[in-house]
Amino acid sequence: MDKETRNRIQRATQAARALLEREYGEQLDGVYDIRPDGTIAAEPGSHLDAEQRVLRQKLVTAVEHERAAGVKPAEAVARYLREAAFTTLNRFVALKMLEARGLVQECVSRGDQSAGFKEFTGLAPGLVQLPDHGYRLYIESLFDEIGREVRVLFNRRDPASLLWPRRQALLDLLAILSAAELAAVWGEDETIGWVYQYFNSDEERRQMRAESQAPRNSRELAVRNQFFTPRYVVQFLADNTLGRVWYEMRQGNTKLRNLDYLVRHPNEVFLKEGEQPPKEDEGADKNLSQEDLLKKTVYVPFRAKKDPRDLKILDPACGSGHFLLYAFDLLVAIYEEAWGDEAALKSEVTSPSLREDYADLDSLRAAAPGLILRHNLHGIDIDPRCAQIAALALWMRAQRAFKDLGIGRDARPRIHKTNIVVAEPMPGEPELRREFVATLDPKLGTLVERVFERMELAGEAGSLLRIEDDIRDSVREIYGEYGELFRASDEERWQAAERDVLRALHEYAERAANGRAYQRRLFAEDAGRGLGFIDLCGHRYDVVLINPPFGAFAEAVRSWAASAWPRTKNDIFAAFVERGIELLHVRGRVGAITSRTGFFLSSFQKWREEVLLREAPPVVVADLGHGVMDDAMVEAAAYCLEVGA
């Protein structure tokens, strides 16, 4: 996507944000008496009808839920306003993109004159009696339908869904998105990622940097590091991690050998299981020319095959999911090749092989998009909006795969699961926490308290938290070294405890008491998302792909980082690379684009010597220089590392 096209998206995004924040700010203040300074009228105004009074109570609860995270009243209102505006914009952008792909009828491009709405009103002529003739009901019905698969964005129970733009604001929003100059962008997969990046203006970033050298909180850390990874970098890193892993598993017998950026030696010999390469004299290559080095035989260590469902890929700072989208493309080819392999292994996940589970290639192809999103692709980010966008982008990519196979919309298997999670603290209301813990078995309650405490830094630390270590230690301390009734592993005991907690959270949210049902539900949903983050940290992966934040840690976690990441505390990108290595299986690969300074500055010496060279030596390095990540003033390098056996 060229610069001028991105500029058009930026202008439209900024205009839509200003419009929605102004509209929702006026509603909060002028209708519901929730002021920008954070003051909230004790009682609802007499001008509100019964329905508006219920809505106001939910809005107040949502703002108080933000305050429970430890922010000041005015910031709590600003946070809610920002999230409501962003969620509304994301949803209408999503509908534009779904229209362009034929996944929904025309619904927003001509507002209430859209073909889909006309058909809707034809089926329910009584809607004409409503003030907007039922247009909001129609759009929300679409949200509900799509939300059966992309719940994280279209979930109307989300507190960010409480407000709706009034008629003129809605017309203005639709006019911005339907401008002729944007017509071509809605068919591009990366458009939603640019909307995410441009929601925060360059002026905001400059102001943040002027006010503080280091990020002051999780939002600043996210906003300062919203730089879209160019497609060729994504391909280079994924081709030489996931692509290379599969290439070695297949001993070169794969169409992935022809990937655009896969680095292969001209004379590779694949070793058999247990076979060692012949020994060479030390220093034998010292005087060889580059041409002679390329002619040498390179022995590739044996890599055991895996069922594709057992391949796990993680982006621990996923943003809008750009790495995961390209990995999806590679995995489609990987699944087909695995199905055609007579010697394919059984899956650790499902036990039978692909051939045993899917009788023919057509049935495998129809199932593959759902399998890829359920088993293979995982993403973590500290920004909740990333979960919205990445999940939507992956779902749309799955729909494109179905379309390419000629599978009609009604015949497509539903996508029931994506593994995109948010790293954020557990909900902060101490009264609700005590109330919930009191409903649990004492040992389980103690474990939950520990989890809440350990998760306090999740918003700023993200994937660096090593929460899985805290869980293991807590399980052993509370339940004993080997368990009470049987010799279960720490992971098995945590999984059993987690199931109990999730069940208890559901029951707690459903038990309305003292008029606090909505408050309880927000608490339970936040806690459930926290457990999802813990799950992903507990896995080990074959591939980690990452464009991490760089620079200083957020102020709130700087002292923690000094002790948690002593070798890489000087720059957060180095810590993310170290963390990526920790999360890998033996011979797993990290693909990263970061500042190139880590390869030569003395302050990164421990990172180079103790992390890279000792634990995961580089296998491919590209020095990219300036201008790679949009407007980021950083000289970049893209490289792949492999964990030693």
Side-chain angles (χ1 to χ4, degrees):
M1 192 175 286
D2 61 48
K3 182 68 172 177
E4 179 51 39
T5 301
R6 300 201 306 270
N7 287 341
R8 290 196 292 269
I9 296 174
Q10 184 175 30
R11 290 192 295 269
T13 301
Q14 286 289 299
R17 175 183 178 176
L19 168 72
L20 288 168
E21 288 191 346
R22 182 172 60 252
E23 166 65 12
Y24 288 164
E26 290 175 1
Q27 289 189 38
L28 289 176
D29 188 3
V31 179
Y32 298 106
D33 297 319
I34 300 173
R35 313 294 182 206
D37 64 2
T39 60
I40 300 173
E43 297 294 333
S46 59
H47 62 288
L48 299 180
D49 60 27
E51 185 177 348
Q52 288 174 317
R53 286 170 178 259
V54 173
L55 177 56
R56 180 185 186 274
Q57 183 54 52
K58 290 183 176 181
L59 288 167
V60 170
T61 300
V63 171
E64 290 176 344
H65 190 64
E66 295 285 357
R67 283 197 64 186
V71 301
K72 295 178 180 179
E75 175 58 20
V77 174
R79 276 192 183 192
Y80 177 78
L81 188 61
R82 187 168 57 241
E83 294 309 312
F86 188 82
T87 297
T88 298
L89 175 59
N90 263 358
R91 288 173 174 174
F92 279 93
V93 165
L95 290 179
K96 289 288 294 183
M97 297 181 75
L98 296 178
E99 278 186 349
R101 288 158 176 75
L103 295 173
V104 296
Q105 282 186 283
E106 181 190 59
C107 53
V108 293
S109 289
R110 292 193 297 144
D112 58 11
Q113 296 303 305
S114 297
F117 179 58
K118 288 187 174 182
E119 182 177 315
F120 184 75
T121 54
L123 297 172
L127 294 173
V128 72
Q129 304 299 323
L130 295 176
D132 65 349
H133 306 306
Y135 188 65
R136 175 178 179 175
L137 178 63
Y138 165 64
I139 294 296
E140 290 186 332
S141 297
L142 289 176
F143 292 167
D144 290 343
E145 175 62 24
I146 304 166
R148 294 170 66 183
E149 297 185 81
V150 197
R151 187 172 183 271
V152 69
L153 175 57
F154 291 102
N155 176 21
R156 286 202 297 121
R157 286 162 59 97
D158 188 315
S161 302
L162 293 170
L163 296 175
W164 181 265
R166 292 169 294 190
R167 178 169 176 75
Q168 189 57 52
L170 180 59
L171 293 175
D172 292 343
L173 174 64
L174 296 181
I176 291 170
L177 299 181
S178 297
E181 67 175 12
L182 294 177
V185 308
W186 304 120
E188 300 293 331
D189 288 346
E190 64 189 69
T191 294
I192 192 75
W194 288 114
V195 170
Y196 164 68
Q197 177 164 324
Y198 292 142
F199 187 80
N200 299 294
S201 67
D202 295 336
E203 290 74 18
E204 283 180 284
R205 293 188 182 90
R206 283 193 289 269
Q207 182 178 350
M208 288 175 182
R209 294 188 178 106
E211 293 175 353
S212 173
Q213 183 177 359
R216 290 168 292 189
N217 51 51
S218 60
R219 178 172 181 262
E220 285 199 7
L221 181 63
V223 171
R224 291 182 186 214
N225 287 279
Q226 286 173 350
F227 298 113
F228 207 70
T229 313
R231 173 76 175 185
Y232 74 91
V233 175
V234 170
Q235 288 184 248
F236 173 79
L237 294 176
D239 287 355
N240 289 291
T241 52
L242 176 59
R244 180 74 197 193
V245 165
W246 185 250
Y247 169 79
E248 292 180 3
M249 286 180 177
R250 301 274 297 176
Q251 297 203 331
N253 183 26
T254 169
K255 63 182 180 181
L256 268 59
R257 67 181 288 117
N258 297 316
L259 291 171
D260 291 344
Y261 295 97
L262 179 66
V263 176
R264 294 189 289 117
H265 198 279
N267 299 303
E268 291 179 338
V269 172
F270 295 93
L271 298 175
K272 298 176 182 178
E273 187 171 8
E275 185 180 6
Q276 297 297 319
K279 290 185 178 181
E280 288 190 353
D281 295 334
E282 290 188 18
D285 297 341
K286 183 181 293 185
N287 297 317
L288 293 180
S289 67
Q290 187 71 28
E291 184 177 349
D292 288 334
L293 284 171
L294 285 173
K295 292 177 181 178
K296 284 195 63 177
T297 299
V298 171
Y299 295 92
V300 180
F302 176 78
R303 189 185 289 273
K305 289 182 179 179
K306 279 190 174 184
D307 183 285
R309 290 165 291 187
D310 299 331
L311 290 170
K312 290 187 180 295
I313 298 94
L314 172 70
D315 185 340
C318 70
S320 56
H322 209 179
F323 282 118
L324 301 178
L325 287 170
Y326 181 67
F328 184 104
D329 296 344
L330 299 185
L331 285 161
V332 169
I334 286 171
Y335 269 85
E336 291 196 15
E337 289 188 347
W339 186 89
D341 186 353
E342 296 287 352
L345 301 179
K346 294 182 181 295
S347 167
E348 295 175 6
V349 175
T350 65
S351 290
S353 68
L354 283 174
R355 273 289 183 97
E356 292 170 315
D357 276 340
Y358 300 98
D360 53 55
L361 191 54
D362 285 342
S363 61
L364 179 277
R365 286 171 171 166
L371 294 174
I372 291 169
L373 297 193
R374 173 176 288 275
H375 296 300
N376 302 117
L377 301 178
H378 305 77
I380 301 172
D381 207 281
I382 60 174
D383 188 342
R385 294 171 297 154
C386 293
Q388 294 182 359
I389 291 173
L392 171 68
L394 288 171
W395 181 79
M396 288 195 301
R397 181 61 190 87
Q399 300 309 309
R400 193 176 87 197
F402 288 134
K403 182 179 179 181
D404 291 345
L405 293 169
I407 300 174
R409 185 74 181 93
D410 294 337
R412 295 173 187 175
R414 287 199 175 274
I415 304 295
H416 293 294
K417 182 177 176 60
T418 58
N419 298 295
I420 308 297
V421 303
V422 182
E424 58 185 352
M426 289 294 194
E429 295 92 337
E431 182 183 351
L432 294 184
R433 176 170 159 183
R434 288 192 297 270
E435 189 177 76
F436 172 65
V437 169
T439 68
L440 304 174
D441 167 87
K443 287 190 175 182
L444 185 59
T446 301
L447 181 59
V448 167
E449 288 280 14
R450 294 282 181 84
V451 170
F452 270 69
E453 292 167 5
R454 300 297 191 270
M455 288 282 285
E456 286 179 358
L457 299 179
E460 284 77 21
S463 309
L464 301 179
L465 194 57
R466 285 187 177 125
I467 186 67
E468 73 277 11
D469 291 345
D470 294 325
I471 293 292
R472 182 190 62 243
D473 294 344
S474 295
V475 166
R476 289 185 178 183
E477 182 180 340
I478 294 167
Y479 291 97
E481 186 72 18
Y482 299 112
E484 296 170 317
L485 300 179
F486 58 95
R487 294 176 65 88
S489 69
D490 298 327
E491 182 179 356
E492 290 169 330
R493 288 187 289 167
W494 162 248
Q495 289 173 350
E498 183 187 31
R499 288 192 294 270
D500 290 341
V501 173
L502 287 170
R503 184 166 51 249
L505 282 168
H506 176 73
E507 294 172 356
Y508 177 73
E510 294 301 314
R511 288 198 302 269
N514 303 321
R516 293 191 302 170
Y518 192 68
Q519 189 180 22
R520 281 185 170 195
R521 186 166 63 74
L522 295 184
F523 174 92
E525 289 182 353
D526 277 5
R529 286 197 298 271
L531 294 174
F533 165 68
I534 293 170
D535 278 349
L536 260 60
C537 290
H539 292 319
R540 288 298 173 266
Y541 298 87
D542 299 278
V543 170
V544 171
L545 292 164
I546 184 172
N547 178 355
F550 57 88
F553 281 83
E555 292 177 357
V557 295
R558 196 171 304 164
S559 60
W560 165 83
S563 59
W565 300 97
R567 300 185 296 186
T568 49
K569 62 186 177 184
N570 58 302
D571 197 301
I572 195 170
F573 91 72
F576 264 99
V577 172
E578 183 177 0
R579 175 61 162 159
I581 293 168
E582 286 183 354
L583 290 169
L584 287 172
H585 291 300
V586 171
R587 297 201 63 208
R589 286 196 170 197
V590 171
I593 175 171
T594 70
S595 167
R596 65 193 289 271
T597 56
F599 288 96
F600 56 83
L601 288 184
S602 60
S603 56
F604 290 88
Q605 183 173 350
K606 284 190 174 182
W607 180 69
R608 291 191 296 270
E609 294 180 352
E610 298 181 16
V611 178
L612 300 196
L613 296 179
R614 187 179 301 170
E615 298 176 9
V619 288
V620 181
V621 179
D623 190 351
L624 302 176
H626 275 299
V628 177
M629 291 181 282
D630 202 30
D631 298 322
M633 298 302 294
V634 60
E635 294 184 4
Y639 47 93
C640 301
L641 318 171
E642 183 173 308
V643 174

